Every structure is written in structure tokens, then in C-alpha cells.
Amino acid sequence: MKKVDFRAIEIENIAGEIEKVDLAKVLGNAMFGQAKTFEVVELARKIWKDGEVELTAEDVKILEEQIPNIFPTYIVKTALLNAIK
């Protein structure tokens, strides 16, 4: 298991500096809105409510599928994928 705080995702800004960004509500809402399985709904709720989440291997797999659809841009997508690995 891996603990990830989606309220403090490290993202590189345009100046090349690292900023901590709260993506918990945005990610949770987006996952919930396009969820096709109960597992995605439950993970979305956990991310939205708690922010800091213990991820199982199955959770990581779900997020690896969801994140590129929700955040197709390179910077945010890469920051989230790096955080969950």
C-alpha cells in the first residue's frame, strides 16, 4: 500500500519551481462523475472526503486508467501518476 495526499500534489510551475496543489476535490468529483464501476465510485469518494488515502494495488490501477482521461495535459497528469507510483 502507498499513502498519497491528493491535497498536496507536487506540480512543476512555469518557472520550474515545485508547488503543492490540492487536487483531491477536483479528482474525486471528476472520477465520481464518469465512474462506470462501484470501485471507482468508492475510490472517488475516499479521495474527495479524506484527501490523504492509502492506495491498494487495485486503487493504483484504477487511478492509472482514470487520470489520463481527467487530466490529459502533461504537467498535471505526470504529477499525479508520479505521486501514485
Side-chain angles (χ1 to χ4, degrees):
M1 286 208 191
K2 176 171 176 116
K3 187 178 276 192
V4 177
D5 189 350
F6 290 96
R7 299 166 300 184
I9 298 297
E10 293 185 349
I11 296 181
E12 183 178 351
N13 66 24
I14 197 162
E17 300 163 341
I18 301 297
E19 294 181 22
K20 289 189 178 184
V21 178
D22 185 346
L23 295 176
K25 300 279 189 226
V26 174
L27 178 60
N29 275 328
M31 286 176 61
F32 186 84
Q34 64 185 23
K36 294 182 173 90
T37 67
F38 178 73
E39 291 78 17
V40 175
V41 167
E42 287 301 301
L43 181 56
R45 284 182 171 146
K46 189 164 51 168
I47 291 169
W48 187 89
K49 181 181 176 192
D50 300 334
E52 187 173 12
V53 180
E54 283 275 345
L55 299 175
T56 65
E58 182 61 30
D59 293 337
V60 171
K61 185 176 175 185
I62 289 169
L63 287 166
E64 287 174 338
E65 294 171 3
Q66 295 288 311
I67 289 169
N69 295 325
I70 296 167
F71 299 103
T73 59
Y74 175 79
I75 297 296
V76 177
K77 174 179 64 179
T78 302
L80 277 166
L81 291 174
N82 286 339
I84 66 171
K85 291 187 180 188

